[in-house]
Amino acid sequence: MRLLALALAATLAACVPVQNQPGPVSPAAPATTQPAPDGAALYRQSCAGCHQDTGAGIEGVFPPLARHVPAILKAEGGRGYLARVLLFGLQGPIRAQGKNYNGRMPAFSALEDAQIAALLNHLSRSWGNAELLPGFRSYTLDEVAALRADRLTMTRMLELRGSLSPQP
C-alpha cells in the first residue's frame, strides 16, 4: 500500500506545476485571429427572406439589391448610407430602379462590425454588382464602427435616402 501511495504522489507531482521554481519561460501564445465572417452565409440567414437569394427583392415591398447596390454606392453619401441602413433599418416609401417600395427593413445593429462589413462586401460583389463597381473599396470594421456611433432612427434613415444625389 505504501508503494502505491508513493507512486501516486510521484505521478501527481509530475502533473502539478511547482510554484516559485525557476524554469524555462514559455513564449506568449500567439494571438489568434478569428476567421472573417462569411458574408454570403449572413445574407442567406438575415436578408434572403426579403431580398431573395437572387437579390431581386419582392416587388412593391422590398427593393432589389441586384444591380441596385452600385447605384446607392455611387450616389454622394451612398457608401455611409448603405452601411447605416444595415445598422439602423429603414421604413417608409422609397423608389428603386424606377419602382415604388414600402417595406420595413429591420436594424441589424446586433451584428458585430465584422459581420456588417462582410454583409456589405457581399452585397457589393454579388448578382452583377461587382462589374458595375470597378475599383470597389471593401468596407472595414473601423468604418462600420464609426458609422455605428451615429445611432440613427428609421425615420432619419428615410430622410437620408431622400438626400442622396443622384437618387439611386
Side-chain angles (χ1 to χ4, degrees), residues 11 20 30 48 73 81 102:
T11 303
N20 298 324
L73 291 174
Y81 168 80
N102 197 359

Side-chain angles (χ1 to χ4, degrees), residues 33-108:
T33 57
Q34 293 185 6
D38 182 347
L42 285 165
Y43 178 83
R44 285 188 303 275
Q45 191 175 47
S46 303
C47 311
C50 297
H51 294 283
Q52 308 302 296
D53 288 333
T54 61
I58 297 175
E59 195 164 331
V61 186
F62 304 112
L65 300 173
R67 306 187 74 77
H68 180 62
V69 166
I72 295 171
L73 291 174
K74 288 177 181 178
E76 187 176 334
R79 185 176 174 88
Y81 168 80
L82 188 62
R84 287 180 184 104
V85 167
L86 281 173
L87 289 166
F88 308 118
L90 176 68
Q91 184 172 355
I94 63 169
R95 280 187 70 75
Q97 295 181 336
K99 296 182 180 173
N100 294 322
Y101 295 88
N102 197 359
R104 182 180 186 277
M105 165 85 178
F108 288 97

